Amino acid sequence: MAGDSTPATGKTLPSGSMEVKERRKWGVSASDVASHFGTSGMSVAAATAITHPLDVLKVRLQMQLVGQRGPLVGMGRLSLQVVESEGLRSLYLGLAPSLMRSVLYGGLRLGLYEPSKYLCELAFESTNILVKIASGAFSGAVATALTNPMEVLKVRMQMNTRSSLGPIHEMRRIASEEGVRALWKGVGPAMARAATLTASQLATYDESKQALIKYTPLEEGFHLHLISSTIAGSVSTVMTAPMDMVKTRLMLQRESNCVGLYRNGLHCAYQVLRTEGPSGLYKGGFAIFARLAPQTMITFVLCEKLRGMAGLKAI
């Protein structure tokens, strides 16, 4: 009928032809915001705590044969070497800054995705895959820019087994010896990696859920979240491994005595390709997948559960 509104589309169709779009309202309270960012931060922190030993191994693998070609030690053999020579505790080096970063970074990275997607929807009147990729890239880049000092601190502590200082003392030492700017070393590749990671993770997870709901009997719930997050973790590993490698090398270049300083992310990638070959960019690639795939699954499954308990809708 003329003049009837269509709730499913949010459009009013008057007699004649012109469509008048009804403005969407996105009302949020302080408790909604706290729940939104809190559930994101808690889920990422829990996933980080469980997979942290794999992150330590990933960093050690990425720092093998810097500036050289040659046979690499695998993750299994390296883990045995680390435990035998440094003890089981060494697999949890840098855990404190890692957890601090996870709460802030995870809360911002996942928490900003939906508001960004909503704003893009208002601006472009679409929620297609490109909008989801752009929203994920923006939220990941912003989150990393704000939390990069904790990432620098984490990788330094993971490599420096001789340091008995806590994270606060270590941060002060870095700032006094190398300057405050040292806490933002590798921020460019880190932002590029986070933008790519969040875009590939969230967009893939979002699209996978929709496709699975549409083409399979799966409904909103644990199995749907598990399968979607597994797909998202696999895609994001392939997309981000080279940038993760460059980020780690830049953050640890002071500890690398084999080659000169890298000027920036592109120079680092070029040097790795020139001296170590294309496979150099994927050093620690299996460790990245072994860490990122379960971390993605834990993050999304737990986040969806927490969002349900908080009365928020699914991602």
Side-chain angles (χ1 to χ4, degrees):
M1 290 178 65
D4 287 349
S5 65
T6 56
T9 60
K11 295 177 182 177
T12 301
L13 302 176
S15 55
S17 54
M18 298 260 312
E19 292 184 350
V20 181
K21 290 185 183 174
E22 182 184 340
R23 287 184 176 274
R24 290 181 57 192
K25 292 184 180 179
W26 194 44
V28 292
S29 64
S31 62
D32 288 335
V33 173
S35 298
H36 189 67
F37 286 93
T39 54
S40 301
M42 287 171 63
S43 59
V44 174
T48 298
I50 294 170
T51 60
H52 187 77
L54 294 168
D55 191 41
V56 173
L57 293 174
K58 177 209 73 174
V59 171
R60 299 290 183 92
L61 288 166
Q62 289 174 333
M63 294 304 293
Q64 287 188 94
L65 298 176
V66 177
Q68 305 173 55
R69 297 173 188 254
L72 301 174
V73 176
M75 187 174 72
R77 186 177 168 191
L78 178 67
S79 62
L80 292 175
Q81 289 178 355
V82 169
V83 172
E84 286 176 3
S85 60
E86 304 171 32
L88 196 60
R89 246 181 108 183
S90 62
L91 293 177
Y92 289 89
L93 289 170
L95 180 60
S98 183
L99 289 176
M100 286 189 290
R101 174 183 176 272
S102 294
V103 172
L104 296 173
Y105 170 72
L108 289 168
R109 189 169 72 87
L110 298 184
L112 288 173
Y113 174 68
E114 285 184 280
S116 301
K117 190 169 71 170
Y118 173 77
L119 291 174
C120 287
E121 184 181 353
L122 287 182
F124 304 110
E125 301 177 356
S126 172
T127 54
N128 60 30
I129 185 68
L130 295 178
V131 166
K132 294 171 183 177
I133 290 172
S135 302
F138 171 78
S139 57
V142 170
T144 292
L146 295 175
T147 60
N148 198 72
M150 281 175 277
E151 177 70 7
V152 171
L153 186 60
K154 182 195 77 171
V155 297
R156 292 288 186 94
M157 292 183 74
Q158 286 175 341
M159 285 298 294
N160 189 3
T161 59
R162 295 184 301 275
S163 175
S164 59
L165 299 174
I168 302 300
H169 287 88
E170 185 68 18
M171 183 174 284
R172 287 176 179 170
R173 185 191 67 77
I174 293 170
S176 62
E177 292 182 8
E178 304 172 47
V180 175
R181 286 183 64 184
L183 295 172
W184 270 269
K185 276 184 178 177
V187 69
M191 287 177 68
R193 174 193 174 273
T196 306
L197 171 67
T198 311
S200 58
Q201 252 184 0
L202 286 165
T204 303
Y205 180 74
D206 209 337
E207 287 291 306
S208 297
K209 276 182 66 177
Q210 290 186 16
L212 288 168
I213 289 171
K214 185 176 180 180
Y215 297 111
T216 71
L218 288 171
E219 296 180 353
E220 195 69 51
F222 174 77
H223 293 98
L224 176 66
H225 301 158
L226 183 65
I227 295 171
S228 301
S229 60
T230 303
I231 297 169
S234 302
V235 171
S236 57
T237 299
V238 174
M239 297 292 292
T240 61
M243 285 173 277
D244 193 282
M245 171 68 176
V246 170
K247 178 206 72 171
T248 299
R249 287 288 179 89
L250 283 172
M251 290 179 177
L252 290 171
Q253 60 181 320
R254 185 181 174 89
E255 282 75 17
S256 176
N257 300 317
C258 300
V259 295
L261 297 177
Y262 301 124
R263 292 195 292 269
N264 51 50
L266 289 175
H267 182 247
C268 178
Y270 168 74
Q271 288 286 68
V272 171
L273 283 170
R274 186 178 66 84
T275 59
E276 303 170 46
S279 62
L281 289 174
Y282 279 89
K283 280 182 180 177
F286 181 73
I288 293 173
F289 176 76
R291 168 183 168 268
L292 192 56
Q295 186 184 46
T296 302
M297 286 187 278
I298 295 166
T299 296
F300 282 121
V301 170
L302 184 56
C303 187
E304 296 278 26
K305 186 67 175 176
L306 291 173
R307 287 173 70 89
M309 292 170 63
L312 300 173
K313 68 174 185 177
I315 295 174

